[in-house]
Amino acid sequence: MRLCRYTDNQLGEDQLGLVRDDLLFDATAALENLPPLTWPIPHGDHLIANLDVLRPAIEHAADDSHPVPVSSVVLKSPVANPSKIIGAPVNYHKHHEEAVADQEINLGRDVKTIDTYGLFMKANSSLVGPDEGVALRFADRRNDHEVELAVIIGEGGSDITEADAMRHICAYSIGLDMTVRGTEDRSLRKGIDTYSVLGPWLVTADEIADPGHLDFEIRVNDELRQKSNTEQLIFDIPRLIAYASSFMTLYPGDIIMTGTPEGVGPVVPGDVMHAWIDGVGEMSVPVRAHK
Ligand code: MN
């Protein structure tokens, strides 16, 4: 199942869409089946937490709607309310090599790998969908793209074992972990508004037979920048989930951006990033200046 959140000129904001081939079927009516919430709302995304129960209603609502081209709507982040966005620093060996070699990336620092750094957090308020685009801040500094497989947690948990980890995955998306280079902590440089892009939709885990062997790439305008396969990850997906949950409880809708391969590079206002992951889909993300 491919699910997106979108804005439509006629229907309004925050519609739920089911994507079949290149067509979008409105399934917003299925949201009426969500249990009501009262304050304080629980951690995590309410739709993801109830997705298994809602699936028949989503299919049914889609069957009753007239499809439109996906390109005719504004795609937002398919996860609306994650309790956290987790990032994986230096989780591909060849990205480690380029970071060590490029002083614009390392700024004179000794760059190590994920074994040393562990994980980091990106602000939830940085999350956008592909059609909302990236608004660059600090135009005098280098702003880089990082394309990554994004894992979306379904059933939450703490101290999840590697053997049990895949059972906790709800879905996959393309993630862009945008970064301004500088000396500040990662959480600040990668937590800027619009610097976490998720899309074009979520693909439920049952559709991805082996997320550990997925080709992916990103182009900026017509230039191929990054091209790799998730088999090159240093910490693979089960290890990332086990490691993260050894520190913090994971909740439905939590997003793990699994790390980026070699080929990170700068973007400037006016660029368009085109990202693709085999079996997940592709998305185009425009870059503009914040002001
Ligand atoms: Mn990253």
Side-chain angles (χ1 to χ4, degrees):
M1 177 178 274
R2 297 176 172 218
L3 285 175
C4 65
R5 180 166 64 111
Y6 67 100
T7 295
D8 177 276
N9 283 341
Q10 265 113 49
L11 299 174
E13 294 271 336
D14 296 309
Q15 304 293 304
L16 179 67
L18 181 64
V19 177
R20 295 167 172 159
D21 298 319
D22 285 331
L23 292 175
L24 184 151
F25 295 78
D26 182 61
T28 309
L31 299 174
E32 292 167 11
N33 295 280
L34 284 172
L37 286 176
T38 57
W39 184 89
I41 61 171
H43 287 306
D45 186 273
H46 194 43
L47 173 60
I48 302 295
N50 291 280
L51 188 56
D52 282 343
V53 174
L54 242 63
R55 282 179 78 141
I58 291 170
E59 296 278 6
H60 185 74
D63 289 342
D64 286 346
S65 75
H66 295 288
V68 298
V70 176
S71 58
S72 69
V73 305
V74 176
L75 291 173
K76 302 176 78 173
S77 165
V79 179
N81 300 111
S83 86
K84 52 194 166 290
I85 304 169
I86 299 170
V90 203
N91 199 19
Y92 283 81
H93 286 299
K94 286 185 178 173
H95 175 52
H96 177 240
E97 291 169 13
E98 76 177 348
V100 168
D102 186 343
Q103 191 166 1
E104 290 184 11
I105 296 177
N106 65 49
L107 296 163
R109 292 168 302 201
D110 181 20
V111 181
K112 297 186 168 60
T113 67
I114 189 169
D115 301 84
T116 298
Y117 297 126
L119 301 169
F120 64 90
M121 313 301 295
K122 288 169 70 76
N124 291 350
S125 48
S126 68
L127 185 62
V128 294
D131 290 334
E132 293 170 291
V134 171
L136 297 183
R137 300 200 188 204
F138 311 106
D140 56 327
R141 291 161 61 172
R142 182 170 145 182
N143 279 275
D144 282 8
H145 55 78
E146 298 188 353
V147 63
E148 320 199 351
L149 177 68
V151 171
I152 298 161
I153 296 297
E155 183 185 335
S158 177
D159 294 321
I160 297 166
T161 64
E162 287 189 40
D164 209 24
M166 300 306 287
R167 191 175 64 75
H168 289 264
I169 299 174
C170 165
Y172 302 92
S173 289
I174 305 172
L176 299 185
D177 174 19
M178 301 302 296
T179 304
V180 64
R181 298 296 168 193
T183 57
E184 299 91 344
D185 190 84
R186 280 186 179 83
S187 62
L188 205 57
R189 292 185 291 106
K190 293 166 171 279
I192 296 170
D193 289 358
T194 76
Y195 276 41
S196 300
V197 186
L198 195 73
W201 39 66
L202 61 80
V203 178
T204 50
D206 54 287
E207 293 198 13
I208 305 290
D210 186 359
H213 290 88
L214 295 178
D215 284 325
F216 64 103
E217 65 178 45
I218 188 169
R219 295 171 186 272
V220 176
N221 306 322
D222 293 327
E223 181 187 356
L224 180 63
R225 292 281 186 88
Q226 295 182 272
K227 182 180 178 62
S228 190
N229 186 291
T230 52
E231 67 192 7
Q232 300 295 320
L233 284 164
I234 298 174
F235 277 20
D236 64 10
I237 294 167
R239 190 169 177 190
L240 286 169
I241 292 171
Y243 186 84
S245 71
S246 74
F247 286 82
M248 54 190 79
T249 301
L250 301 180
Y251 292 95
D254 280 1
I255 298 162
I256 303 177
M257 293 202 180
T258 55
T260 204
E262 71 279 12
V264 300
V267 292
V268 296
D271 284 344
V272 179
M273 301 180 285
H274 307 281
W276 167 82
I277 299 181
D278 186 25
V280 176
E282 57 185 314
M283 64 182 187
S284 294
V285 181
V287 179
R288 67 183 185 278
H290 169 59
K291 59 181 179 184

